[in-house]
Structure formats: structure tokens, C-alpha cells
Amino acid sequence: MSTIELAPRLSADDFRQELFTRGLLFATGVDGLYGRSATFESLVDAVDRLIGRLSADDKAELMRFPPIMTRSGFEASGYFKNMPQLVGTVHCFCGDDREHKRVLACTPEEGGWTAAQQPADVVLTPASCYPVYPIIAARGPLPAEGWLVDSSSYCFRREPSIDPARMQMFRQREQVCFGTPERIRAFQSHWMTRALEMFRLMGLPATTDLANDPFFGRPGMLMANGQRSQRLKFEILVPISNPDKLSACGSFNYHVHHFADAYGIRGADGEPAHTGCAGFGLERVALALLRQHGFDIDAWPEAVSMTLWPRA
Amino acid sequence: MLHETVRNVLKGVSDLAGRADALSNDADLFDAGLSSYGTVEVMIGLENALGVEFPETALTRDSFSSINAIVRVLEGLQKDAASGGGKAVDANGWPVAQETVQ
């Protein structure tokens, strides 16, 4: 942990209320679903651009995605096996006039207007790296030096909360690395160092730590323990809504050959490739900045402003 | 007996398809191709086969690293069950479900 002085305590509820009162976020009546103001968007954009500047020399292939991905790609990932509680699916009406009339007449007990919804061939994207894997797999074996993608997408996680840092839909900016185990471990380590420097430049009291994904149920405990014992996941943590329980603003993951097996991604030698990703939750970083430096962006320390909005 | 049960469960896990019979009792199952989700399949398979539940403390990678390691965990559970205050056990030493006793 750096020696940056922490902002005064504020509960998650009070922090969220303050964001509403000051017009930075707009309440919708659903926890975790908020409108964004021009000021908040400019902050998210500044964080996104900062990540872009710091990684410009990586020469990653840029891929931007809408907030949905193919259902087949999602199913292949195994996400529903591991974290079913977070998944959001897309269902659509596929009936005719008669069916339309029938469902409009359905009582809530009969399912209401949703009574004839069918699962679509798309689902909400859980992480911005997920749409990348099938695209890379379809290209055939990787080049000998591997590959690097710079992805971004709105992502969905079904975990409604009064904590404004736990949104149901948020943006991720994530690099995805393909190659040998050595390349992925170096990528993971490089991004952890780079992220700590990035957060220092933003004046945020950040630390990194070993972590695990929120795997579901008792089998999930086994998965989580395995992930930790192999040191596959690290997070960069910052106090946002609760100084006693830091919030993860980014993560640095080594998937071994999980996605290579799931999608058929092969290295130049024909063997399953190893993959890793390093991503940031853009809204979370924006909220960490507001929490640490105050709600008036014009009054932020000059060094922080210069980091986020450097003069050309 | 337990070794055989464990091996039978491993045979049903797709990660180790066709290889479970050739594994020595000390062979590293992860080196042999067992994935994280495959480990979960082994856990559930053993729980169903033996009518036991792995305690949270046993839900680690080490517990499932080899056939011998799994058997050690199962023997520990068996011992705990046997010393559990005179509860009814079956011929294999596993606790009998309460409904059956009543």
C-alpha cells in the first residue's frame, strides 16, 4: 500500500446518494443500474485514454464489442458452469399474431408478457475478453511470437448492490495475450507493475493481491482454492465504498490452456495455446478517483488532472 | 477398496478419458490432464458414489492431486465419521443416513 492519505470514511449508501445528489450518476430505481452524466463520462473516457497511452507501444490489435456476444461462444467458455449466478441471457418473442395476443392477456401468474420468450442466439457479455477467443481461434494457429488484443465492451454481472462500485453493467478495457506459458506469466507480471504505476500517477492508494473468481457453490470453493494455489489471478485494489474491504479495479489473469481447450486456440506448434488477460473496470476506477479526490473534479490535484487530461 | 472406487470415478471424467487405468496411485492427476472443472467432477462423483460430503477444509488442489491423496482424504473422513458419537455406519465404515436408521 502506498503512503497516499485516504479520503474520509463514507458508507456505500452515502457515497451513492452523493453521486446522485451531485448529478454524477442518475438513479433508475434498480440497484447497480445507473445513468451517467457528462462529467462522469469524461472521467471514464480519461481513464480509458490513459490505459491506451500507457499500452500504446504494445501494438495490440484493437477489438471493440457491443455488450452482447454469441451464445455459442459463451457456452463454449464454461462460464455458466462456473458462475451461473452472474449470467444475463437474452430472450426474445418469436411467436405470431395469435401468440402475441395470448401473451398480452397472460396474468403475472401465467408469466405475463414474458410467457412466450425464447432464448436468443446472443447473451450479455460477462467480460470483454470473451468475444475475443472465438475470433482468434477461427484464424488458425497463432504466429510464433503469439498475439495480443486490446478489447473493450460493456459487461453484465447479475449482482445488484447499493454499492455504486458494484454495477450490473459496466465497461471493461482488457488486453488479452496468447502464447507460451512464459509469455503469459511475463504479461501478467508486466501489467501488475504497470497498473501500480498508473494508479500512483492517478493519486490512488492501490495495492495488488492474490485473488479468485466468484465461483458458484461448494464446487466453486474447490475452483477458487485451485486458482489461488496456482497464483492464476491477481487484482489491483483501491478503497472505494468501504476502506476495510478494498474494491478490485482491475485483474491480471492466467488461464493456462482453459480457453485454448474451450475454443481450439493453437500455437504455431499446433499445441493448445496459453492465454491471459489484464483488464480494468472503467467505472470503478472513475469512482475510486471521485472517492479519493472529491466530487469537484476542477479541485483535484494538478498532477492527477495532468495525468488524466494531459495538454497536447 | 477406496483406491478402486476413486479410479472408477476418474474413469468417468472426460479430462482423463482412457488414461485412468494406466495411472499409478501416486501419479500427479493434474500433470495427467485433470482440469479445475474436472476436479469438481471427481469431487461430485466421489460424493455420489460414497454418500459423503467433502468438508470445506478438504476442497483444495492438494486433496485431489493423486489417487493416494484422494484416498487419504477419504480415510480421514471415514475416521471422523467413525468417531462421531456412535452414529450408525455401514459395512464400509461410512455413516448411514439418519432416515435409514429410523
Side-chain angles (χ1 to χ4, degrees), chain A residues 81-82 218-223 225-226 229-230 232, chain B residues 36-37 39-40 43 47 53-54 56 59-61 64:
Chain A
K81 270 186 181 175
N82 298 330
R218 283 181 62 250
M221 294 181 69
L222 182 54
M223 301 278 286
N225 286 335
S229 67
Q230 294 176 88
L232 299 179
Chain B
S36 325
Y37 198 75
T39 313
V40 170
M43 180 192 89
E47 289 188 341
E53 189 170 285
F54 283 85
E56 289 181 10
L59 298 180
T60 66
R61 193 172 164 86
F64 295 87

Side-chain angles (χ1 to χ4, degrees), chain A residues 204-237:
Chain A
L204 292 174
T207 184
T208 54
D209 201 2
L210 193 60
N212 60 265
D213 285 308
F215 296 112
F216 186 71
R218 283 181 62 250
M221 294 181 69
L222 182 54
M223 301 278 286
N225 286 335
Q227 197 177 30
R228 280 180 173 267
S229 67
Q230 294 176 88
R231 304 176 69 77
L232 299 179
K233 184 181 189 75
F234 291 85
E235 290 177 336
I236 185 160
L237 303 152

Side-chain angles (χ1 to χ4, degrees), chain B residues 22 41 87 99:
Chain B
E41 288 182 65
K87 285 179 185 163
E99 304 86 84

Side-chain angles (χ1 to χ4, degrees), chain B residues 2-70:
Chain B
L2 277 178
H3 284 86
E4 195 185 324
T5 306
V6 172
R7 197 177 290 277
N8 279 336
V9 168
L10 293 179
K11 280 184 204 170
V13 175
S14 54
D15 289 345
L16 302 171
R19 276 171 292 162
D21 271 332
L23 293 168
S24 72
N25 287 341
D26 269 330
D28 188 311
L29 297 179
F30 300 109
D31 286 347
L34 186 64
S35 65
S36 325
Y37 198 75
T39 313
V40 170
E41 288 182 65
V42 174
M43 180 192 89
I44 292 171
L46 287 167
E47 289 188 341
N48 289 339
L50 297 168
V52 293
E53 189 170 285
F54 283 85
E56 289 181 10
T57 50
L59 298 180
T60 66
R61 193 172 164 86
D62 285 348
S63 301
F64 295 87
S65 58
S66 67
I67 292 173
N68 277 343
I70 297 170

Side-chain angles (χ1 to χ4, degrees), chain A residues 281-305:
Chain A
L282 299 182
E283 280 84 352
R284 276 212 182 161
V285 181
L287 289 169
L289 285 161
L290 288 164
R291 186 70 191 83
Q292 179 65 24
H293 302 305
F295 296 100
D296 181 4
I297 290 177
D298 294 334
W300 284 5
E302 176 72 8
V304 174
S305 298

